[in-house]
Amino acid sequence: MTDRELDAAGITDPRLRAAYHHCRRLNARHGRTYFLATRLLPVERRPAVHALYGFARWADDIVDDLHRTATTQDRAEALGALLVQLRAGLAGSDSAEPVVRALAHTAVRYEIDPRHFTDFMASMRSDLDVTDYATYEDLRGYMHGSAAVIGLQMLPVLGTVVPRAEAAPQAAALGVAFQLTNFLRDVGEDLDRGRVYLPADLLDAHGVNRELLIWSRLTGLRDHRITAALGAAADLTRSVYREAAPGLAQLDPVSRPCIRTAFVLYGAILDAVADDGYSVLHRRAVVPRRRRAAVALDGLVRVALARTFAPVSGRVTAPVGLAVAGAPGWAAMYGGRDGKGSV
């Protein structure tokens, strides 16, 4: 995060600035899509995106880092300690943890409902002992906290041209769509963690179970039943994108290009998975750089047009105390838990 961004956001306290810088480094290191995405938001809104991402990433790393030797109990205690700090920070106490300090400041500044953060922590806690989901409805319950609330957290930062409550269902759906995309792409990596996020009823419909997935992962061999099940998961994910799509027009015009860019790029992940023959158990599907660059360029053009023509008076739910104008940038934080993969 540049000092220019913090200056534009009116963040002057040295400790708070340091906390935002810390969140920005987490974003730059781990969330390529999210970090690239912040460049399409107005400059003064970018620190908030980094704060939201930084906190989510910090919690996710407690749960999912494969290179750590911490036991399940150790991770449960670490999550519990983070939750205590989170609640104290949201209640107004200064936190020694940088990600909490930045998050609490962002939550107050943009009037984000604290329940979105505690719901997120509840889903993180469930990852310590829940390893699969019997039905899609069961999975949706988990994704409310792990993905839908990310979209709801971001909505006040982005601003809307309709009442926030009207835009909330589409914002939540987009968070779910992004996470379902990550689940599909990262089936193999999640299996290494002992988890299967694709619902069992969807897999069962194609004759697939955990044992067959493990066999394919270990042997490198393919099975037509797995391919069919993954194709069905992609179809399900695309249906959630269609559910979320109307929400793009509900956003502040200067925010639409960045979320549209994320929408297109995450959809491109599904295309890359299909183009690679649904080989996600054996390798990660990657969106070609040329495709990423073309989408980003389109986003920059749309930002320029939005800044030139969008009427300020059109917003009815704008970020508290912030101007619309900002340098061209690139952004999308709706994506749910980045620990489930970053593009």
Side-chain angles (χ1 to χ4, degrees), residues 20 47-49 51-52 101-112 157:
Y20 276 103
V49 177
L52 294 172
R101 188 182 308 129
L103 179 78
H105 179 264
T106 289
V108 171
R109 185 183 186 93
Y110 288 92
E111 300 179 350
I112 302 172
V157 179

Side-chain angles (χ1 to χ4, degrees), residues 140-329:
R140 286 292 295 240
Y142 165 79
M143 290 191 297
H144 166 75
S146 64
V149 298
I150 302 298
L152 298 175
Q153 291 168 22
M154 274 297 297
L155 200 54
V157 179
L158 299 170
T160 62
V161 296
V162 298
R164 190 182 300 174
E166 184 177 332
Q170 290 75 30
L174 191 55
V176 170
F178 286 174
Q179 185 164 73
L180 285 171
T181 302
N182 287 341
F183 285 163
L184 179 60
R185 182 190 57 191
D186 299 335
V187 170
E189 295 174 23
D190 288 331
L191 198 60
D192 293 343
R193 297 183 176 100
R195 302 194 199 108
V196 177
Y197 286 102
L198 300 183
D201 57 352
L202 181 149
L203 297 175
D204 289 344
H206 298 276
V208 177
N209 55 26
R210 177 187 288 261
E211 289 68 31
L212 185 61
L213 295 174
I214 293 173
W215 167 83
S216 180
R217 178 72 168 168
L218 293 178
T219 65
L221 299 176
R222 304 184 52 161
D223 187 287
H224 69 92
R225 293 169 294 177
I226 294 177
T227 300
L230 296 177
D235 291 341
L236 172 63
T237 303
R238 292 190 189 281
S239 73
V240 182
Y241 277 104
R242 290 192 293 272
E243 178 186 344
L248 296 176
Q250 298 171 330
L251 297 175
D252 183 340
V254 297
S255 296
R256 292 174 197 167
C258 47
I259 301 307
R260 181 188 180 279
T261 299
F263 188 98
V264 173
L265 277 180
Y266 267 87
I269 296 174
L270 292 180
D271 294 337
V273 168
D275 291 345
D276 197 34
Y278 295 98
S279 299
V280 288
L281 280 166
H282 312 130
R283 56 183 174 268
R284 171 177 280 209
V286 177
V287 179
R289 286 187 178 182
R290 182 176 298 179
R291 171 66 167 153
R292 288 165 54 86
V295 174
L297 178 59
D298 177 73
L300 288 172
V301 172
R302 290 172 182 272
V303 164
L305 292 173
R307 292 180 62 201
T308 301
F309 298 110
V312 175
S313 60
R315 290 179 298 145
V316 299
T317 312
V320 178
L322 295 182
V324 173

Side-chain angles (χ1 to χ4, degrees), residues 16 25 30 83 128 172 192 202 251 274 326 338:
L16 191 56
R25 287 192 293 271
H30 298 291
L83 180 58
L128 297 178
D192 293 343
L202 181 149
L251 297 175
D338 194 57

Side-chain angles (χ1 to χ4, degrees), residues 324-339:
V324 173
W330 198 120
M333 177 60 193
Y334 279 87
R337 294 187 55 202
D338 194 57

